[in-house]
Amino acid sequence: MYYWLISILLLYSSMLNANLAEPSGATTNENSIPVPVLTIKGAIGPAVSHYLTSEISRANNHKNAETSDNGHSTPPLIIITIDTPGGLVSSLRDINQAILNSNVPIACLVHPPGARAASAGTYILYACHIAAMATTTTLGAATPVSIGNPLPTGDKKPANPYQPATEPTPNTKPDSKSDSPNADTKEQQPSPTLSDSPQVTEKSAMEKKVLNDAVAYIRSLAQLRERNVEWAELAVTEAATLTAVEALDKNVINLLAQSPQHLLQKLDGQYVTIKQQQRLLTLTNSPLELRQPNWRSNFIGTITDPNIAYILMLIGVYGILLEFYSPGVGIAGVTGSISLFIALYAFQLLPIDYVGLGLLLLGITLLVAESMSPSFGILGLGGIIAFTLGSIFLFDSDLPQFQVSLQLIAAVTVLSLLFFIFIFSYLWDMRKNKVVSGKEALIGSEVTIEMGFIGQGHINVNGERWSAYCPHQLSAGQIVQIDGIDGLTLILLPISESEVNDASNPQ
């Protein structure tokens, strides 16, 4: 028995030691710092900006005690996968600023196959230390869209600055396709007619400022990363696009990679320039670590959805109005205040149009006025029109991801109309009802006299002892009516006399 027990213990001990023993290769892999993989999926807004900047800052400040002896305390590389149609300029510049100031090399990969790095994605791809694309992906179309003032689109394409000086009018046909800047100078489409030339050349000062600023920005990024500067400018001025193979051929990207793991394999042993210094990438044993947005980024992403921010604003306005119209426990006021402050925080992160916000508030004001003082529908109709137009113009962006859904606007408009017509009218009528609490509720009520008196005396009303005054003689058991209140004294009137007064003063 004991021999069997000892044998089992020895066998278990040997198995435990075998599990604890690790080969040298496993130890090396454990000491390797994981490579964070960040993801851009969809439109680039405040939530994506917060997620990327916080993760890049975290990677740059990362410390690992187990690897401090080999000289590496930060990840050897950060990978950002991109699949975006574009986004907000403010969010784009925050992301690029974090990339440019990073001490850890950042590789951007347009992934998976079929993805795109359009508009703002092109700027990010140029800002990264290493630019890569999977096959069947695209980039480009980086012309800034209108924010406040319309920018040239369609037949208002800006002139190509790379045309030869001998050409009187540059090629600006929107459907012309080109693989390189040289192709634009050699293969010319027919020149536009004189009637079209003013549309091409005439631009407002604001349009020129926005366009030139975007051109200078992407040129500076291309010069910093030693990539194709001419095509970068064409991507802004003429919304040029490229496939992955074409981008590699024109030195817009550094390499092709089908996945983040494939990108690691290709970059292992390569040199990358970080702030004018060459750095060798050692990625042989580095595992990938997919970093998801934290709760704060998810919360910002939720409230900066234009539909959510729009609903929060309406809840805030209606809640505060309800609190003023029908004071009570305060649930409507507290809920409305919290919702309104969250909506205001979201608005300062979004491209809000203050004219649209003003129309929206004007519409609500007119609907309130209609419910309080009916005007045969004039104020109500004006309120509906202002409310609807304000909702449509509330967010000034050409991206569908930063616009309020038309279905939501229609539904909220109808509900708002019903809300103000029925709810506010009901609450306003309630203000005219008879008071049922407080001293005012005593006026008109009937009381039985317990002890007779004339002039000053005392009576019991609802269990409370009140001072009373009546110029007539009152006897015990007589029923009187409270005619008024003078300070803390009740003015009494016998029922018979009150009936005579009521008969002589018909309503």
Side-chain angles (χ1 to χ4, degrees):
M1 178 75 179
Y2 294 104
Y3 292 106
W4 282 104
L5 182 59
I6 294 173
S7 300
I8 292 174
L9 291 175
L10 290 175
L11 179 62
Y12 177 77
S13 177
S14 62
M15 292 174 61
L16 183 62
N17 292 332
N19 289 333
L20 291 176
E22 294 183 353
S24 57
T27 304
T28 304
N29 188 54
E30 185 175 289
N31 289 337
S32 299
I33 301 177
V35 173
V37 179
L38 314 181
T39 304
I40 300 177
K41 179 68 175 178
I44 297 173
V48 176
S49 173
H50 179 271
Y51 160 56
L52 291 180
T53 54
S54 60
E55 288 297 332
I56 292 174
S57 175
R58 172 187 173 276
N60 278 271
N61 298 326
H62 178 73
K63 299 296 180 182
N64 192 322
E66 294 181 358
T67 57
S68 59
D69 55 345
N70 58 18
H72 297 284
S73 58
T74 58
L77 182 70
I78 300 174
I79 296 179
I80 302 177
T81 62
I82 302 176
D83 182 11
T84 178
L88 302 179
V89 176
S90 57
S91 300
L92 159 69
R93 288 187 175 267
D94 290 341
I95 294 171
N96 278 358
Q97 187 174 11
I99 293 174
L100 296 175
N101 292 321
S102 175
N103 293 319
V104 179
I106 299 177
C108 288
L109 172 64
V110 185
H111 175 78
R116 56 177 172 167
S119 192
T122 302
Y123 292 84
I124 295 177
L125 200 64
Y126 263 97
C128 289
H129 304 89
I130 301 166
M133 297 176 68
T135 54
T136 68
T137 58
T138 59
L139 82 160
T143 304
V145 295
S146 70
I147 297 293
N149 290 317
L151 287 176
T153 56
D155 57 350
K156 287 190 178 183
K157 290 279 186 186
N160 181 2
Y162 301 104
Q163 297 290 351
T166 57
E167 288 290 332
T169 307
N171 172 32
T172 57
K173 289 188 73 63
D175 57 349
S176 60
K177 297 181 179 180
S178 171
D179 290 341
S180 68
N182 296 330
D184 288 326
T185 60
K186 293 178 182 179
E187 299 179 5
Q188 296 294 329
Q189 298 291 335
S191 300
T193 62
L194 292 176
S195 61
D196 295 334
S197 58
Q199 296 180 348
V200 176
T201 57
E202 293 182 2
K203 297 189 292 291
S204 68
M206 179 58 68
E207 292 171 359
K208 292 179 181 179
K209 288 172 63 177
V210 174
L211 187 63
N212 291 337
D213 178 68
V215 169
Y217 185 50
I218 200 168
R219 282 177 63 87
S220 66
L221 296 176
Q223 292 169 356
L224 176 66
R225 303 306 182 199
E226 297 181 354
R227 301 193 199 130
N228 194 322
V229 178
E230 290 76 15
W231 186 88
E233 186 164 350
L234 286 176
V236 176
T237 58
E238 295 194 359
T241 58
L242 291 176
T243 64
V245 177
E246 293 169 344
L248 180 63
D249 182 61
K250 294 181 182 299
N251 190 33
V252 176
I253 62 174
N254 302 106
L255 69 158
L256 297 177
Q258 304 307 314
S259 66
Q261 187 64 47
H262 187 204
L263 180 62
L264 276 187
Q265 296 174 1
K266 285 197 169 187
L267 292 178
D268 187 30
Q270 301 293 324
Y271 283 91
V272 62
T273 302
I274 303 293
K275 296 183 178 180
Q276 289 79 44
Q277 294 182 356
Q278 292 288 320
R279 183 181 300 179
L280 177 64
L281 296 177
T282 305
L283 308 170
T284 304
N285 298 313
S286 297
L288 296 176
E289 180 186 13
L290 182 62
R291 298 289 303 175
Q292 298 291 346
N294 57 19
W295 69 268
R296 179 177 172 83
S297 298
N298 290 327
F299 177 73
I300 294 176
T302 300
I303 65 172
T304 53
D305 183 325
N307 297 310
I308 301 297
Y310 176 71
I311 293 174
L312 286 173
M313 184 200 66
L314 294 181
I315 292 176
V317 173
Y318 291 166
I320 293 176
L321 286 176
L322 270 178
E323 186 65 28
F324 280 113
Y325 271 89
S326 180
V329 181
I331 296 177
V334 172
T335 304
S337 301
I338 294 175
S339 300
L340 188 59
F341 275 106
I342 295 176
L344 292 176
Y345 175 74
F347 285 166
Q348 63 97 17
L349 298 175
L350 292 169
I352 188 172
D353 188 332
Y354 291 99
V355 174
L357 180 61
L359 283 172
L360 187 65
L361 297 178
L362 175 62
I364 294 175
T365 303
L366 292 176
L367 289 174
V368 172
E370 176 67 27
S371 64
M372 294 175 58
S373 56
S375 60
F376 302 100
I378 297 176
L379 295 178
L381 181 60
I384 294 174
I385 295 174
F387 185 88
T388 305
L389 292 177
S391 300
I392 294 174
F393 300 146
L394 184 58
F395 296 104
D396 187 7
S397 175
D398 290 340
L399 292 173
Q401 294 85 352
F402 295 103
Q403 295 176 349
V404 181
S405 170
L406 293 179
Q407 292 83 355
L408 177 62
I409 293 175
V412 170
T413 301
V414 174
L415 291 176
S416 299
L417 178 62
L418 297 177
F419 179 83
F420 282 106
I421 290 179
F422 295 103
I423 303 299
F424 274 4
S425 297
Y426 174 72
L427 293 176
W428 185 256
D429 291 339
M430 287 180 59
R431 295 170 63 95
K432 304 177 183 178
N433 293 341
K434 181 180 178 181
V435 180
V436 295
S437 63
K439 294 191 299 182
E440 292 78 7
L442 298 177
I443 299 177
S445 60
E446 298 179 353
V447 183
T448 301
I449 301 298
E450 296 180 355
M451 182 179 297
F453 64 89
I454 184 172
Q456 292 288 341
H458 293 85
I459 60 174
N460 291 325
V461 181
N462 298 329
E464 299 174 346
R465 184 173 177 81
W466 284 80
S467 296
Y469 172 79
C470 183
H472 305 281
Q473 175 66 44
L474 300 178
S475 58
Q478 185 177 356
I479 299 177
V480 295
Q481 187 181 59
I482 300 176
D483 190 54
I485 301 177
D486 183 13
L488 296 178
T489 301
L490 302 180
I491 308 300
L492 304 181
L493 195 65
I495 288 294
S496 59
E497 185 174 343
S498 65
E499 292 175 353
V500 172
N501 292 339
D502 292 341
S504 62
N505 298 300
Q507 297 294 329

